[in-house]
Structure formats: C-alpha cells, structure tokens
Short mmCIF file of all heavy atoms in Angstrom, two decimals:
data_model
loop_
_atom_site.label_atom_id
_atom_site.label_comp_id
_atom_site.label_asym_id
_atom_site.label_seq_id
_atom_site.Cartn_x
_atom_site.Cartn_y
_atom_site.Cartn_z
N LEU A 27 -15.92 -1.20 5.96
CA LEU A 27 -15.29 -1.94 4.95
C LEU A 27 -16.30 -2.43 3.91
O LEU A 27 -17.48 -2.74 4.29
CB LEU A 27 -14.53 -3.15 5.54
CG LEU A 27 -13.18 -2.80 6.21
CD1 LEU A 27 -12.74 -3.94 7.13
CD2 LEU A 27 -12.14 -2.48 5.17
N SER A 28 -15.87 -2.50 2.68
CA SER A 28 -16.76 -3.06 1.64
C SER A 28 -16.00 -4.08 0.86
O SER A 28 -14.75 -4.17 0.96
CB SER A 28 -17.15 -1.88 0.65
OG SER A 28 -16.02 -1.51 -0.12
N PRO A 29 -16.70 -4.94 0.11
CA PRO A 29 -15.98 -6.00 -0.67
C PRO A 29 -14.97 -5.43 -1.64
O PRO A 29 -13.95 -6.11 -1.92
CB PRO A 29 -17.17 -6.65 -1.43
CG PRO A 29 -18.36 -6.49 -0.54
CD PRO A 29 -18.17 -5.13 0.08
N GLU A 30 -15.15 -4.18 -2.05
CA GLU A 30 -14.10 -3.53 -2.92
C GLU A 30 -12.82 -3.27 -2.23
O GLU A 30 -11.81 -3.00 -2.89
CB GLU A 30 -14.69 -2.21 -3.48
CG GLU A 30 -15.81 -2.33 -4.50
CD GLU A 30 -17.13 -2.89 -3.92
OE1 GLU A 30 -17.39 -2.56 -2.75
OE2 GLU A 30 -17.80 -3.67 -4.62
N ASP A 31 -12.76 -3.36 -0.93
CA ASP A 31 -11.54 -3.19 -0.14
C ASP A 31 -10.75 -4.50 -0.07
O ASP A 31 -9.64 -4.53 0.48
CB ASP A 31 -11.86 -2.70 1.25
CG ASP A 31 -12.49 -1.31 1.25
OD1 ASP A 31 -12.03 -0.47 0.49
OD2 ASP A 31 -13.45 -1.14 2.01
N THR A 32 -11.29 -5.57 -0.56
CA THR A 32 -10.60 -6.87 -0.52
C THR A 32 -9.30 -6.76 -1.31
O THR A 32 -9.30 -6.39 -2.49
CB THR A 32 -11.48 -7.98 -1.10
OG1 THR A 32 -12.61 -8.16 -0.19
CG2 THR A 32 -10.72 -9.30 -1.17
N ALA A 33 -8.19 -7.08 -0.69
CA ALA A 33 -6.89 -7.01 -1.34
C ALA A 33 -5.80 -7.46 -0.35
O ALA A 33 -6.09 -7.66 0.83
CB ALA A 33 -6.59 -5.57 -1.75
N VAL A 34 -4.60 -7.62 -0.89
CA VAL A 34 -3.44 -7.77 -0.04
C VAL A 34 -2.93 -6.36 0.24
O VAL A 34 -2.73 -5.57 -0.70
CB VAL A 34 -2.33 -8.61 -0.70
CG1 VAL A 34 -1.13 -8.66 0.19
CG2 VAL A 34 -2.83 -10.01 -0.99
N TYR A 35 -2.78 -6.04 1.51
CA TYR A 35 -2.30 -4.70 1.90
C TYR A 35 -0.84 -4.73 2.26
O TYR A 35 -0.41 -5.63 3.05
CB TYR A 35 -3.14 -4.23 3.10
CG TYR A 35 -4.53 -3.78 2.68
CD1 TYR A 35 -5.50 -4.66 2.32
CD2 TYR A 35 -4.83 -2.39 2.66
CE1 TYR A 35 -6.73 -4.27 1.88
CE2 TYR A 35 -6.10 -1.97 2.27
CZ TYR A 35 -7.03 -2.93 1.87
OH TYR A 35 -8.28 -2.48 1.44
N TYR A 36 -0.11 -3.79 1.72
CA TYR A 36 1.34 -3.73 1.90
C TYR A 36 1.72 -2.42 2.60
O TYR A 36 1.18 -1.37 2.27
CB TYR A 36 2.06 -3.78 0.56
CG TYR A 36 1.89 -5.04 -0.22
CD1 TYR A 36 0.83 -5.21 -1.11
CD2 TYR A 36 2.77 -6.10 -0.06
CE1 TYR A 36 0.69 -6.37 -1.83
CE2 TYR A 36 2.63 -7.32 -0.78
CZ TYR A 36 1.56 -7.42 -1.66
OH TYR A 36 1.43 -8.58 -2.38
N CYS A 37 2.68 -2.55 3.49
CA CYS A 37 3.31 -1.39 4.12
C CYS A 37 4.59 -1.05 3.33
O CYS A 37 5.25 -1.96 2.82
CB CYS A 37 3.66 -1.79 5.55
SG CYS A 37 4.62 -0.59 6.48
N ALA A 38 4.86 0.24 3.19
CA ALA A 38 6.02 0.66 2.39
C ALA A 38 6.66 1.86 3.04
O ALA A 38 5.99 2.68 3.70
CB ALA A 38 5.61 0.98 0.97
N ALA A 39 7.96 1.99 2.80
CA ALA A 39 8.71 3.11 3.35
C ALA A 39 9.60 3.76 2.28
O ALA A 39 10.07 3.05 1.36
CB ALA A 39 9.57 2.66 4.52
N ARG A 40 9.78 5.05 2.41
CA ARG A 40 10.72 5.72 1.46
C ARG A 40 11.42 6.84 2.22
O ARG A 40 10.94 7.36 3.28
CB ARG A 40 9.95 6.36 0.27
CG ARG A 40 9.03 7.48 0.64
CD ARG A 40 8.31 8.02 -0.59
NE ARG A 40 9.24 8.56 -1.59
CZ ARG A 40 9.62 9.84 -1.59
NH1 ARG A 40 9.16 10.71 -0.70
NH2 ARG A 40 10.49 10.26 -2.53
N THR A 41 12.61 7.15 1.79
CA THR A 41 13.31 8.31 2.25
C THR A 41 12.80 9.53 1.48
O THR A 41 12.24 9.39 0.42
CB THR A 41 14.83 8.20 2.08
OG1 THR A 41 15.09 7.94 0.70
CG2 THR A 41 15.39 7.05 2.95
N GLY A 42 12.95 10.71 2.06
CA GLY A 42 12.45 11.86 1.41
C GLY A 42 11.45 12.61 2.28
O GLY A 42 11.26 12.18 3.45
N ASP A 43 10.88 13.63 1.80
CA ASP A 43 10.07 14.54 2.63
C ASP A 43 8.56 14.32 2.48
O ASP A 43 7.83 14.62 3.39
CB ASP A 43 10.38 15.99 2.30
CG ASP A 43 11.80 16.36 2.68
OD1 ASP A 43 12.34 15.74 3.64
OD2 ASP A 43 12.39 17.27 2.04
N PHE A 44 8.13 13.86 1.33
CA PHE A 44 6.72 13.88 1.07
C PHE A 44 6.13 12.51 0.62
O PHE A 44 6.86 11.66 0.17
CB PHE A 44 6.41 14.87 -0.10
CG PHE A 44 6.88 16.26 0.25
CD1 PHE A 44 7.98 16.79 -0.40
CD2 PHE A 44 6.20 17.04 1.17
CE1 PHE A 44 8.43 18.06 -0.14
CE2 PHE A 44 6.69 18.31 1.46
CZ PHE A 44 7.79 18.82 0.82
N VAL A 45 4.86 12.36 0.85
CA VAL A 45 4.17 11.18 0.42
C VAL A 45 4.15 11.16 -1.10
O VAL A 45 3.89 12.16 -1.76
CB VAL A 45 2.73 11.16 0.97
CG1 VAL A 45 1.94 9.95 0.36
CG2 VAL A 45 2.75 11.05 2.48
N ARG A 46 4.46 9.99 -1.70
CA ARG A 46 4.38 9.79 -3.10
C ARG A 46 3.33 8.68 -3.37
O ARG A 46 3.03 7.88 -2.50
CB ARG A 46 5.72 9.36 -3.72
CG ARG A 46 6.80 10.36 -3.42
CD ARG A 46 6.77 11.56 -4.38
NE ARG A 46 7.92 12.46 -4.19
CZ ARG A 46 8.08 13.60 -4.79
NH1 ARG A 46 7.17 13.98 -5.70
NH2 ARG A 46 9.15 14.35 -4.55
N TYR A 47 2.80 8.67 -4.62
CA TYR A 47 1.71 7.76 -4.89
C TYR A 47 2.04 6.53 -5.76
O TYR A 47 1.22 5.69 -5.99
CB TYR A 47 0.56 8.53 -5.56
CG TYR A 47 0.19 9.79 -4.78
CD1 TYR A 47 0.38 11.04 -5.34
CD2 TYR A 47 -0.32 9.70 -3.50
CE1 TYR A 47 0.02 12.20 -4.64
CE2 TYR A 47 -0.66 10.81 -2.78
CZ TYR A 47 -0.46 12.06 -3.37
OH TYR A 47 -0.80 13.20 -2.64
N ASP A 48 3.27 6.49 -6.21
CA ASP A 48 3.67 5.40 -7.13
C ASP A 48 4.52 4.34 -6.40
O ASP A 48 5.37 4.68 -5.56
CB ASP A 48 4.52 5.98 -8.30
CG ASP A 48 3.68 6.85 -9.21
OD1 ASP A 48 2.45 6.62 -9.30
OD2 ASP A 48 4.22 7.76 -9.83
N VAL A 49 4.31 3.12 -6.78
CA VAL A 49 5.07 1.99 -6.23
C VAL A 49 6.55 2.23 -6.33
O VAL A 49 7.32 1.95 -5.42
CB VAL A 49 4.64 0.70 -6.91
CG1 VAL A 49 5.56 -0.43 -6.54
CG2 VAL A 49 3.20 0.36 -6.61
N GLU A 50 7.00 2.79 -7.48
CA GLU A 50 8.42 2.96 -7.75
C GLU A 50 9.09 3.94 -6.78
O GLU A 50 10.31 3.97 -6.68
CB GLU A 50 8.64 3.43 -9.17
CG GLU A 50 8.23 2.44 -10.28
CD GLU A 50 6.71 2.33 -10.43
OE1 GLU A 50 5.98 3.21 -9.99
OE2 GLU A 50 6.26 1.34 -11.04
N ASP A 51 8.34 4.72 -6.09
CA ASP A 51 8.89 5.77 -5.22
C ASP A 51 9.26 5.20 -3.83
O ASP A 51 9.81 5.96 -3.02
CB ASP A 51 7.94 6.94 -5.04
CG ASP A 51 7.77 7.72 -6.33
OD1 ASP A 51 8.80 7.95 -7.01
OD2 ASP A 51 6.65 8.14 -6.63
N TYR A 52 8.90 3.98 -3.55
CA TYR A 52 9.15 3.39 -2.21
C TYR A 52 10.27 2.34 -2.28
O TYR A 52 10.33 1.56 -3.21
CB TYR A 52 7.83 2.81 -1.67
CG TYR A 52 6.90 3.91 -1.31
CD1 TYR A 52 6.12 4.55 -2.27
CD2 TYR A 52 6.81 4.38 0.02
CE1 TYR A 52 5.31 5.62 -1.93
CE2 TYR A 52 5.98 5.42 0.35
CZ TYR A 52 5.21 6.05 -0.64
OH TYR A 52 4.41 7.10 -0.33
N ASP A 53 11.11 2.40 -1.24
CA ASP A 53 12.36 1.61 -1.22
C ASP A 53 12.19 0.29 -0.53
O ASP A 53 12.87 -0.70 -0.86
CB ASP A 53 13.45 2.40 -0.48
CG ASP A 53 13.62 3.79 -1.02
OD1 ASP A 53 13.82 3.94 -2.22
OD2 ASP A 53 13.54 4.75 -0.21
N VAL A 54 11.32 0.22 0.44
CA VAL A 54 11.22 -0.96 1.33
C VAL A 54 9.75 -1.37 1.39
O VAL A 54 8.86 -0.49 1.53
CB VAL A 54 11.72 -0.64 2.77
CG1 VAL A 54 11.70 -1.93 3.59
CG2 VAL A 54 13.11 -0.05 2.66
N TRP A 55 9.51 -2.69 1.33
CA TRP A 55 8.14 -3.20 1.36
C TRP A 55 8.05 -4.38 2.33
O TRP A 55 9.02 -5.13 2.52
CB TRP A 55 7.78 -3.73 -0.08
CG TRP A 55 7.63 -2.65 -1.08
CD1 TRP A 55 8.63 -2.08 -1.80
CD2 TRP A 55 6.43 -1.97 -1.42
NE1 TRP A 55 8.10 -1.11 -2.60
CE2 TRP A 55 6.78 -1.00 -2.40
CE3 TRP A 55 5.10 -2.09 -1.06
CZ2 TRP A 55 5.80 -0.16 -2.98
CZ3 TRP A 55 4.14 -1.26 -1.63
CH2 TRP A 55 4.51 -0.32 -2.59
N GLY A 56 6.84 -4.49 2.90
CA GLY A 56 6.56 -5.68 3.69
C GLY A 56 6.07 -6.81 2.82
O GLY A 56 5.97 -6.69 1.58
N GLN A 57 5.74 -7.92 3.43
CA GLN A 57 5.29 -9.10 2.66
C GLN A 57 3.82 -9.07 2.38
O GLN A 57 3.33 -9.87 1.54
CB GLN A 57 5.65 -10.37 3.44
CG GLN A 57 4.65 -10.81 4.50
CD GLN A 57 4.61 -9.84 5.72
OE1 GLN A 57 5.51 -9.03 5.93
NE2 GLN A 57 3.54 -9.96 6.51
N GLY A 58 3.05 -8.18 3.04
CA GLY A 58 1.65 -8.06 2.77
C GLY A 58 0.81 -8.88 3.72
O GLY A 58 1.22 -9.84 4.29
N THR A 59 -0.45 -8.41 3.89
CA THR A 59 -1.40 -9.12 4.69
C THR A 59 -2.76 -9.05 4.02
O THR A 59 -3.16 -8.02 3.46
CB THR A 59 -1.51 -8.46 6.13
OG1 THR A 59 -2.39 -9.28 6.92
CG2 THR A 59 -1.99 -7.03 6.11
N GLN A 60 -3.43 -10.20 3.93
CA GLN A 60 -4.69 -10.31 3.19
C GLN A 60 -5.85 -9.76 3.97
O GLN A 60 -6.04 -10.13 5.15
CB GLN A 60 -4.94 -11.78 2.85
CG GLN A 60 -6.24 -12.04 2.12
CD GLN A 60 -6.27 -11.54 0.70
OE1 GLN A 60 -5.33 -11.78 -0.04
NE2 GLN A 60 -7.29 -10.79 0.31
N VAL A 61 -6.61 -8.93 3.35
CA VAL A 61 -7.88 -8.43 3.86
C VAL A 61 -8.99 -8.90 2.93
O VAL A 61 -8.92 -8.60 1.73
CB VAL A 61 -7.89 -6.92 4.00
CG1 VAL A 61 -9.30 -6.42 4.36
CG2 VAL A 61 -6.88 -6.47 5.04
N THR A 62 -9.95 -9.61 3.45
CA THR A 62 -11.10 -10.10 2.65
C THR A 62 -12.37 -9.61 3.28
O THR A 62 -12.61 -9.88 4.50
CB THR A 62 -11.07 -11.64 2.58
OG1 THR A 62 -9.85 -12.09 2.01
CG2 THR A 62 -12.23 -12.13 1.70
N VAL A 63 -13.17 -8.95 2.50
CA VAL A 63 -14.44 -8.42 3.01
C VAL A 63 -15.61 -9.09 2.26
O VAL A 63 -15.64 -9.02 1.04
CB VAL A 63 -14.55 -6.91 2.82
CG1 VAL A 63 -15.82 -6.33 3.45
CG2 VAL A 63 -13.29 -6.19 3.42
N SER A 64 -16.43 -9.76 3.03
CA SER A 64 -17.55 -10.43 2.39
C SER A 64 -18.81 -9.57 2.41
O SER A 64 -19.00 -8.75 3.31
CB SER A 64 -17.83 -11.77 3.14
OG SER A 64 -18.16 -11.50 4.50
N SER A 65 -19.65 -9.80 1.44
CA SER A 65 -20.88 -9.02 1.32
C SER A 65 -21.99 -9.60 2.16
O SER A 65 -21.91 -10.75 2.63
CB SER A 65 -21.30 -8.88 -0.10
OG SER A 65 -21.48 -10.13 -0.67
#
C-alpha cells in the first residue's frame, strides 16, 4: 500500500456479463470503507 491508495473503497454490483469501468454501469453500491495509508 502507498499513500496514493488512501480513499473510501466501495463495493459495487451489476447485472450483465462483463466488468465495466464506469460508476454508471453499476446498480448496487455499499456504503464504503475508509482506507488510510500513512507515509
């Protein structure tokens, strides 16, 4: 891990066959979990 990885991480789900890269392509989201990486 590096400080650049610091973020809130979200889990998402979508129907369909393939992984998509845009937020708009996912139907369901979690509330997020904070990851903080110190240098």
Side-chain angles (χ1 to χ4, degrees):
L27 285 163
S28 73
E30 288 68 35
D31 296 316
T32 294
V34 177
Y35 283 72
Y36 296 90
C37 173
R40 67 181 297 271
T41 55
D43 295 331
F44 303 107
V45 173
R46 302 281 185 183
Y47 308 116
D48 293 332
V49 169
E50 293 75 17
D51 291 321
Y52 289 80
D53 309 305
V54 186
W55 292 84
Q57 83 292 343
T59 185
Q60 176 71 49
V61 172
T62 303
V63 184
S64 62
S65 57

